[in-house]
């Protein structure tokens, strides 16, 4: 793998949908340091902001009314993402936002390689997530390496993500982050795709008739793709410190949580599922408390 550059990226979203970015931040790495930082507010195609997301990042509809759309905001950066090593903390989220929104607007997906700094930290600092206050959250890792930043500001989060990768690089003796990615085998290649016609929400927004949507729209004639549950993924700490994956999936009766713990084989509503459904984040290892706030409105009760 050869990379044209190395940069970190972070998105904030307006609601539970991955194609609702309202801010993006980027930080470029060269010669073992952050050399450039950029951040942009983004006007989502659908101006629906969930209260839980607002509580996390503080961005409100009025803040982005005059902001550029996603294609406008990302136009300077997409050519730099192509062929690069792209870092993100919980990369599945940020890569998912990028891919979903490009697809929604009918834009070409660039080919690049991603590296998740959560996985990087877990490999380099094993056991961090199971010891008292220690977790692999962005804020905890930044504090561990002595980096001060404003959490859930997209530009600041991208900067902290880049600094975490640089700290691991220095401690492991790697000459650069790209070499570190090759050595650990954690990098994931993302194949590019050609542009396609906008679909769903973005297509309606581009025609000037965007309207709010919810999971419940399925019973009111909405397209099946729009009625599916958002792809939410959580990592939680078990009682012994073992991390478990909890995902929001489509069940026969609607969206539900599925946990990877052994207990969930016998009781699907295991304690990890019940805690997340109740909005509890004490055991949350993944850095997405805003997604937890969306569950109450998505899960069936009773």
């Amino acid at each position: 793998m050869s990379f044209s550059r190395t940069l970190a990226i972070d998105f904030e979203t307006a609601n539970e949908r991955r194609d609702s970015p309202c801010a993006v931040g980027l930080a470029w790495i060269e010669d073992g340091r952050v050399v450039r930082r950029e951040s942009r507010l983004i006007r989502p195609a659908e101006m629906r902001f969930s209260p839980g997301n607002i509580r996390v990042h503080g961005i409100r509809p009025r803040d982005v009314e005059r902001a550029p759309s996603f294609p406008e905001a990302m136009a300077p950066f997409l050519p730099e993402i192509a062929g690069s090593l792209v870092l993100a903390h919980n990369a599945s989220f940020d890569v998912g936002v990028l891919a979903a929104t490009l697809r929604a607007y009918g834009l070409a997906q660039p080919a690049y390689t991603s590296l998740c700094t959560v996985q990087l930290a877990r490999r380099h600092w094993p056991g961090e997530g199971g010891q008292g206050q220690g977790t692999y959250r962005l804020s905890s890792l930044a504090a561990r390496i002595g980096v001060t930043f404003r959490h859930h500001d997209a530009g600041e989060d991208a900067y902290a993500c880049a600094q975490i990768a640089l700290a691991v690089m220095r401690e492991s003796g790697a000459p650069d982050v790209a070499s570190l990615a090759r050595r650990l085998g954690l990098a994931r290649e993302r194949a590019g795709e050609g542009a396609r016609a906008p679909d769903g929400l973005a297509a309606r927004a581009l025609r000037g008739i965007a309207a709010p949507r919810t999971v419940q729209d399925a019973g009111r004639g909405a397209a099946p793709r729009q009625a599916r549950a958002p792809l939410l993924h959580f990592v939680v700490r078990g009682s012994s410190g073992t991390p478990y994956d909890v995902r929001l999936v489509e069940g026969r009766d609607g969206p539900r949580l599925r946990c990877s713990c052994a207990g969930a084989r016998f009781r699907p509503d295991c304690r990890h599922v019940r805690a997340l459904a109740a909005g509890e984040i004490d055991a949350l290892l993944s850095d997405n408390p805003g997604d937890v706030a969306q569950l109450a409105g998505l899960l069936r009760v009773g």
Side-chain angles (χ1 to χ4, degrees):
M1 293 182 289
S2 60
F3 310 114
S4 57
R5 62 186 59 82
T6 299
L7 59 93
I9 193 167
D10 180 84
F11 286 102
E12 301 293 338
T13 55
N15 55 60
E16 75 282 352
R17 292 188 60 88
R18 289 293 178 261
D19 57 0
S20 68
C22 58
V24 64
L26 304 99
W28 285 257
I29 294 175
E30 290 181 15
D31 300 323
R33 62 190 180 92
V34 175
V35 297
R36 177 187 169 198
R37 298 164 64 175
E38 299 279 356
S39 62
R40 299 282 189 279
L41 288 175
I42 297 172
R43 186 182 69 254
E46 178 188 21
M47 289 287 281
R48 177 173 63 86
F49 280 68
S50 297
N53 292 61
I54 293 175
R55 283 195 296 271
V56 170
H57 51 58
I59 302 172
R60 300 175 181 274
R62 63 173 178 265
D63 299 321
V64 299
E65 285 178 351
R66 298 181 182 277
S69 66
F70 178 85
E72 295 169 321
M74 293 299 295
F77 308 132
L78 289 175
E80 297 197 64
I81 290 173
S84 295
L85 175 63
V86 178
L87 316 176
H89 205 70
N90 284 316
S92 60
F93 172 81
D94 297 286
V95 166
V97 170
L98 179 61
T101 315
L102 287 169
R103 189 177 304 114
Y105 278 98
L107 300 175
Q109 306 269 355
Y112 63 96
T113 301
S114 67
L115 176 64
C116 178
T117 49
V118 173
Q119 296 179 7
L120 186 64
R122 283 181 176 149
R123 179 72 63 86
H124 186 69
W125 295 303
E128 188 78 6
Q131 299 178 3
Q133 300 282 330
T135 72
Y136 294 104
R137 295 182 186 179
L138 187 65
S139 55
S140 298
L141 292 173
R144 188 190 203 283
I145 63 174
V147 170
T148 302
F149 75 115
R150 296 190 308 276
H151 199 9
H152 293 300
D153 174 289
E156 294 276 304
D157 284 2
Y159 170 74
C161 173
Q163 292 292 357
I164 289 167
L166 288 170
V168 175
M169 178 200 78
R170 289 189 291 266
E171 291 187 14
S172 63
D176 50 48
V177 177
S179 299
L180 178 66
R182 297 187 192 97
R183 177 193 300 176
L184 297 180
L186 295 176
R188 180 177 175 184
E189 294 186 14
R190 308 280 178 174
E193 300 175 5
R196 61 186 71 187
D199 59 341
L201 169 66
R204 296 200 307 277
L206 291 173
R207 294 196 300 268
I209 55 172
R213 290 173 300 165
T214 65
V215 172
Q216 287 74 22
D217 286 338
R220 297 197 292 271
R225 179 177 180 273
Q226 299 169 10
R228 293 174 185 163
L231 300 177
L232 302 184
H233 174 213
F234 309 93
V235 180
V236 299
R237 183 177 61 247
S239 56
S240 63
T242 303
Y244 296 110
D245 291 299
V246 182
R247 298 178 184 275
L248 186 67
V249 300
E250 280 288 356
R252 184 171 56 185
D253 298 322
R256 66 182 183 85
L257 291 172
R258 176 184 294 164
C259 184
S260 65
C261 74
R265 301 174 189 171
F266 308 100
R267 182 173 179 175
D269 61 331
C270 66
R271 66 184 186 86
H272 309 117
V273 165
R274 294 197 303 274
L276 286 176
E280 299 174 10
I281 60 173
D282 291 345
L284 187 68
L285 295 179
S286 53
D287 197 32
N288 57 339
D291 287 344
V292 177
Q294 309 310 312
L295 292 175
L298 294 170
L299 297 173
R300 291 179 61 89
V301 179

